[in-house]
Amino acid sequence: MPPKTYTWISLWFLLTAPIIAWDISYCLMRPRSMEGGDLHWFWAPAFGFYSQIDHLYNVSTYKKGDGFPNAHAILNLVETIMNLLYIYAAHVVAWPPAPLIGFTAAAMTVAKTFLYWSQEYFCGWCMVGHNSLVDIVKYWFLSSVPWVIVPSLILMRLGKDLVSELKYADQLSAVDDASSRKRR
Ligand SMILES: *[C@@H]1O[C@H](CO)[C@@H](O)[C@H](O)[C@H]1NC(C)=O
């Protein structure tokens, strides 16, 4: 049987991929992608402004050699590849275990977003503390919230499907065992 798919899940994975790719490439292409870099024009519309809100993305952080921006970019890259792999497995080749890929990717996104928030909390708001509280909430917090809410909903939806399939497989094998015992 082909895997059960959901338009909202597939759209989320598809539509967020280019946004995340923009973020990943900004981080990995530093310093050329940053203010003063020859390729900055490509990222300027969003990251020129955002690097003033979140100093994780600014030039001094890069020069200091802070490893977190690229570390989280690598996790983003793995998640995005898995999201697209889910689309391919679920829609193109209709591979029955495809939901397991989507489930795992969504769990990674939730975990990474909490890591992003908590590293800021535990460094004493070192990267966003210079903003007003309203700006922190509006630009830093709310821009990440969708990456917790939607993947959590995906976890529940695909998780339910996976659990019911595992239960079903378990019942089938119990029936199988019983009938083979009878035959013997
Ligand atoms: C960049 O971020 C650092 C914190 O890592 C901060 O001290 C510095 O003032 C910021 N630089 C600019 C140009 O905003």
Side-chain angles (χ1 to χ4, degrees):
M1 250 199 356
K4 226 192 219 172
T5 57
Y6 302 88
T7 309
W8 63 273
I9 292 180
S10 300
L11 278 181
W12 168 261
F13 283 152
L14 271 180
L15 298 180
T16 54
I19 303 173
I20 302 298
W22 207 23
D23 188 340
I24 297 167
S25 53
Y26 175 84
C27 293
L28 298 182
M29 290 297 287
R30 293 173 310 148
R32 298 182 67 188
S33 57
M34 291 186 302
E35 217 173 314
D38 61 333
L39 300 177
H40 181 60
W41 56 269
F42 181 71
W43 287 273
F47 293 95
F49 170 74
Y50 191 69
S51 65
Q52 292 167 14
I53 298 288
D54 186 349
H55 280 165
L56 202 59
Y57 287 78
N58 88 9
V59 176
S60 346
T61 302
Y62 173 77
K63 288 200 174 136
K64 240 180 11 201
D66 188 324
F68 189 72
N70 281 2
H72 101 298
I74 295 294
L75 288 186
N76 270 329
L77 182 64
V78 175
E79 284 162 39
T80 304
I81 290 172
M82 286 175 67
N83 291 347
L84 296 176
L85 209 60
Y86 166 79
I87 297 290
Y88 178 78
H91 293 277
V92 182
V93 292
W95 189 50
L100 192 56
I101 304 174
F103 182 89
T104 308
M108 290 174 68
T109 301
V110 173
K112 187 212 58 223
T113 308
F114 277 108
L115 183 70
Y116 180 69
W117 284 339
S118 55
Q119 80 92 30
E120 186 59 22
Y121 172 78
F122 287 112
C123 77
W125 307 100
C126 57
M127 296 294 170
V128 298
H130 61 285
N131 298 286
S132 69
L133 185 61
V134 173
D135 282 353
I136 294 180
V137 172
K138 198 159 82 182
Y139 297 114
W140 180 76
F141 180 67
L142 288 183
S143 65
S144 294
V145 161
W147 272 271
V148 167
I149 295 179
V150 182
S152 296
L153 295 173
I154 293 174
L155 281 176
M156 286 192 262
R157 182 64 270 172
L158 296 183
K160 267 187 192 163
D161 290 352
L162 287 166
V163 165
S164 71
E165 275 163 33
L166 287 173
K167 278 185 173 165
Y168 182 63
D170 184 55
Q171 283 164 3
L172 273 191
S173 70
V175 171
D176 228 35
D177 280 353
S179 59
S180 63
R181 234 176 284 128
K182 229 182 279 162
R183 252 181 272 127
R184 258 191 267 122

